[in-house]
Amino acid sequence: MHPQYNALYEEPAYGIAEAAVYLRVPYQTLRYWLTGFGKRPPIVAPSETAPIRLSFLNLLECHVLVGMRKVYDLKLPRVRSALRQIAQSYPQAHPLISETFLTNRKDLFIEKLGRIINISQHGQMGLNFYQAHLQRVEVDPQGMFRFFPFVVQRDSSEPRTIEINPMIGFGKPVIAGTGVSTAVVASRFIARDSISDLATEYGCTPQQIEEAIRWERALPIAA
């Protein structure tokens, strides 16, 4: 991914509870990743620490970490070891999104100068595996990000209908490509506006409106 980021991506924009809702992870799990509870350094360093607030880039880093943990079942000690190796050999501000990680569901690898390097095993050579979770993050040639969070299930069948982008709607979830707030759509549906009327008013398809409602209904209570 592009190493130069728009300054807006670094702004503290999301509290832990809000980010946990968007990422579909328990509040305490996300808080541990961001703080280590004083016993370990954080896996993802939040942009603001008192109170803790995540930037958009932090949100993307945690999205990648969710994939490593939930989809590929990677153990946190291996992830920590990989990040320490990167910090020593290839220092960068946001390694979880600056590097395209590869995994065999045990170790983490990156590619450097045509070599696949096992960074969770002290730089030994490894094999090439594909990190599919990054398909939900789109980066254009100018380094501009679009994040399409999972709505219910973490698999490729989930449509990329919901978008989180600091450039649109203050970084709150919208229907992708429209800027229409999912929260507004859902609140109007609850107030008895029909899906067809909402689709006509916002210039969306009924399927997009249904997915926005599905997203809002799927939001867990973060605690």
Side-chain angles (χ1 to χ4, degrees):
M1 293 188 180
H2 202 283
Q4 300 298 321
Y5 302 115
N6 187 296
L8 190 58
Y9 295 159
E10 300 279 12
E11 290 293 320
Y14 307 97
I16 299 179
E18 182 181 13
V21 162
Y22 294 164
L23 296 168
R24 306 293 195 254
V25 295
Y27 174 91
Q28 291 294 345
T29 296
L30 184 57
R31 184 166 178 263
Y32 176 68
W33 293 349
L34 295 166
T35 67
F37 290 145
K39 299 178 181 179
R40 298 175 181 273
I43 299 174
V44 174
S47 62
E48 190 172 274
T49 58
I52 291 175
R53 292 189 67 80
L54 293 77
S55 68
F56 177 69
L57 294 180
N58 293 150
L59 189 71
L60 295 186
E61 290 179 285
C62 290
H63 165 72
V64 173
L65 187 55
V66 170
M68 290 177 176
R69 296 285 292 129
K70 302 294 185 181
V71 178
Y72 295 97
D73 197 29
L74 287 165
K75 306 304 180 186
L76 280 182
R78 294 296 176 108
V79 176
R80 289 183 183 279
S81 177
L83 293 178
R84 282 196 301 269
Q85 181 72 17
I86 289 178
Q88 293 170 6
S89 303
Y90 316 102
Q92 50 200 286
H94 301 283
L96 283 171
I97 55 173
S98 298
E99 297 286 352
T100 299
F101 288 91
L102 316 168
T103 184
N104 60 356
R105 296 180 180 268
K106 179 181 178 182
D107 292 316
L108 285 168
F109 307 81
I110 59 174
E111 183 175 358
K112 292 293 182 183
L113 301 176
R115 300 172 65 234
I116 302 300
I117 302 174
N118 185 333
I119 52 168
S120 53
Q121 288 290 326
H122 309 295
Q124 298 173 10
M125 289 297 293
L127 301 175
N128 190 358
F129 298 86
Y130 182 57
Q131 203 345 342
H133 217 65
L134 289 180
Q135 292 177 340
R136 309 298 295 196
V137 180
E138 183 179 285
V139 190
D140 69 18
Q142 287 73 45
M144 306 300 286
F145 286 85
R146 300 174 70 195
F147 175 36
F148 304 92
F150 293 107
V151 176
V152 176
Q153 301 182 41
R154 302 182 190 280
D155 60 46
S156 59
S157 68
E158 283 286 285
R160 302 203 314 174
T161 306
I162 308 304
E163 178 180 354
I164 296 177
N165 184 338
M167 304 297 180
I168 302 172
F170 302 99
K172 305 301 182 184
V174 299
I175 298 174
T178 70
V180 176
S181 165
T182 59
V184 170
V185 168
S187 66
R188 292 192 57 182
F189 179 72
I190 291 172
R192 300 187 182 279
D193 284 324
S194 71
I195 288 176
S196 60
D197 286 346
L198 290 169
T200 298
E201 179 173 343
Y202 290 117
C204 298
T205 66
Q207 291 75 22
Q208 287 175 307
I209 297 297
E210 289 171 352
E211 193 69 0
I213 296 168
R214 182 172 175 245
W215 162 265
E216 290 292 328
R217 282 179 170 173
L219 296 182
I221 298 174

